[in-house]
Amino acid sequence: MKLLADLDIAERRLPQDGRIKTRVKGRELDLRVSTVPTVHGESVVLRVLDRASVRFSLEQMGFESDTLARFQELLARPHGIVLVTGPTGSGKTTTLYAALSKLDASTQKIINVEDPVEYQLEGINQIQVHAQIGLTFANALRSILRQDPDIIMIGEMRDGETAQIAVQSALTGHLVLSTLHTNTAAGAVVRMKDMGVESYLITSSVNGVLSQRLVRTLCPKCRVPEVPSAALRERTGLARWLPEGQPLYVARGCPHCRDTGYLGRTGIHELLVLDDNLRRAILGGADASQLHAMGVQAGMLTLHEDGLRKVARGVTSLEELLRVTQDSGDA
């Protein structure tokens, strides 16, 4: 494995990262390889990236029509920051690539800085960060601004310097797309403050934050209808989306889905669009839970509520939704 990933096979005391490019049944696959030393030898984890999977459009990624319309409004704005947040492996980069593919690369100059570049898109200038030779996110971004871009995608806001440059770019007339590791959409604002970005800069640059998770979708061949009790509908909040007597679906398992009950994944989303009330609250020093509550008051559906819509439609199960959303403070 280490040979294939071009890692130092003699070095067993330090963590190493590499990648394997391979072809399976005519599809190009990228395998990310991570090794760390443990007491009983090395632990190796592979992350599979299917280059073809980024051909998704936003419509295919599980967006409900109302959320999609508001997200596309944010992407259509000429400047400002649009953030996508969530834990590792929640599809943030894929969503940003799908958003980029919506934008017209022939009329707009789009530059993307990533570590590493995950998917290659036609018509977009993609820069790979190379920390060993001093090509960091911050250094690359400084140079990018002299390249006259219209849209800048930053793989991840990792530090205060990157966040500051992203804010400056947004304020000087660029649309900036980036990702952050936070559990809720409102948490992104607090994370930027923690990175040292002033509140007044956040309110004047950030347009909106999309938080997302991936849930497994039920296997269409073996899912089983089940009418939930009134108590369950009330307790989970399903009553709002599921009429009384209508069934939801549960996983069962069959040879088609390898007895898991699930086949494929889709996204659940929470979109916080910054309005005047939220901007005033941020300037007043409101914390993430207050901002979250204000977003809900203004009509934002939480990750849990967006997931409940999919449970009511039979796309996923209630158990799967609870497994994914109980960390986000919504369930």
Side-chain angles (χ1 to χ4, degrees):
M1 196 66 74
K2 287 172 83 173
L3 277 171
L4 288 169
D6 215 11
L7 301 178
D8 180 356
I9 58 168
E11 182 55 79
R12 296 179 176 186
R13 302 159 303 165
L14 293 170
Q16 293 187 68
D17 289 299
R19 66 200 294 187
I20 302 169
K21 286 187 179 177
T22 184
R23 230 181 165 77
V24 179
K25 294 181 183 173
R27 292 173 76 154
E28 267 194 35
L29 288 183
D30 245 6
L31 303 176
R32 291 288 155 71
V33 183
S34 168
T35 73
V36 292
T38 69
V39 177
H40 301 292
E42 288 179 284
S43 165
V44 181
V45 171
L46 300 183
R47 184 174 176 188
V48 183
L49 288 173
D50 182 355
R51 295 249 176 128
S53 69
V54 80
R55 302 287 179 262
F56 279 151
S57 64
L58 285 172
E59 289 80 5
Q60 292 173 294
M61 295 177 70
F63 278 93
E64 299 290 334
S65 54
D66 52 349
T67 310
L68 181 61
R70 285 162 67 217
F71 187 54
Q72 287 178 324
E73 268 174 40
L74 293 178
L75 294 174
R77 294 189 191 178
H79 53 79
I81 297 175
V82 178
L83 292 170
V84 181
T85 77
T88 304
S90 58
K92 301 185 293 294
T93 307
T94 307
T95 296
L96 280 186
Y97 270 108
L100 283 183
S101 62
K102 265 265 185 275
L103 301 165
D104 188 356
S106 61
T107 59
Q108 293 173 302
K109 181 157 186 182
I110 304 172
I111 302 186
N112 160 22
V113 189
E114 268 190 283
D115 180 22
V117 171
E118 298 204 353
Y119 305 105
Q120 290 173 17
L121 275 185
E122 210 177 314
I124 293 174
N125 299 280
Q126 295 176 279
I127 300 168
Q128 176 135 343
V129 168
H130 204 332
Q132 289 92 330
I133 57 169
L135 181 59
T136 60
F137 271 113
N139 288 344
L141 284 172
R142 279 195 205 92
S143 306
I144 277 177
L145 292 177
R146 295 192 284 277
Q147 291 272 315
D148 189 33
D150 298 300
I151 296 155
I152 300 168
M153 174 180 151
I154 305 166
E156 187 189 332
M157 276 195 202
R158 292 185 178 174
D159 52 51
E161 198 176 3
T162 308
Q164 295 279 6
I165 299 170
V167 166
Q168 296 305 329
S169 306
L171 294 176
T172 52
H174 304 90
L175 179 65
V176 179
L177 310 176
S178 189
T179 71
L180 261 180
H181 287 266
T182 61
N183 279 341
T184 61
V189 173
V190 178
R191 176 61 55 88
M192 283 184 77
K193 277 190 189 176
D194 291 344
M195 286 179 171
V197 181
E198 299 289 344
S199 297
Y200 68 90
L201 289 174
I202 295 172
T203 55
S204 48
S205 62
V206 177
N207 291 339
V209 185
L210 177 79
S211 180
Q212 75 173 45
R213 298 286 188 283
L214 291 176
V215 292
R216 293 177 297 167
T217 49
L218 285 165
C219 172
K221 303 236 173 176
C222 66
R223 62 179 192 168
V224 182
E226 197 177 83
V227 177
S229 66
L232 181 75
R233 285 170 67 249
E234 287 303 322
R235 192 177 76 245
T236 57
L238 256 177
R240 181 176 170 188
W241 315 107
L242 192 74
E244 198 172 341
Q246 188 177 311
L248 49 79
Y249 288 83
V250 294
R252 188 174 71 182
C254 66
H256 185 65
C257 60
R258 298 184 181 180
D259 286 320
T260 59
Y262 297 95
L263 201 64
R265 294 189 297 177
T266 191
I268 55 172
H269 306 89
E270 169 181 296
L271 182 60
L272 182 73
V273 179
L274 265 68
D275 58 14
D276 291 339
N277 287 337
L278 275 168
R279 289 192 169 96
R280 278 196 292 273
I282 293 166
L283 290 171
D287 63 21
S289 56
Q290 289 168 311
L291 296 174
H292 184 79
M294 287 181 74
V296 170
Q297 231 172 351
M300 175 184 85
L301 288 177
T302 66
L303 283 166
H304 187 65
E305 288 167 338
D306 189 52
L308 286 173
R309 293 199 279 185
K310 289 182 169 62
V311 171
R313 284 213 320 271
V315 175
T316 190
S317 68
L318 191 58
E319 289 76 20
E320 173 68 0
L321 176 65
L322 294 173
R323 180 186 73 82
V324 170
T325 59
Q326 56 194 3
D327 70 321
S328 62
D330 304 325

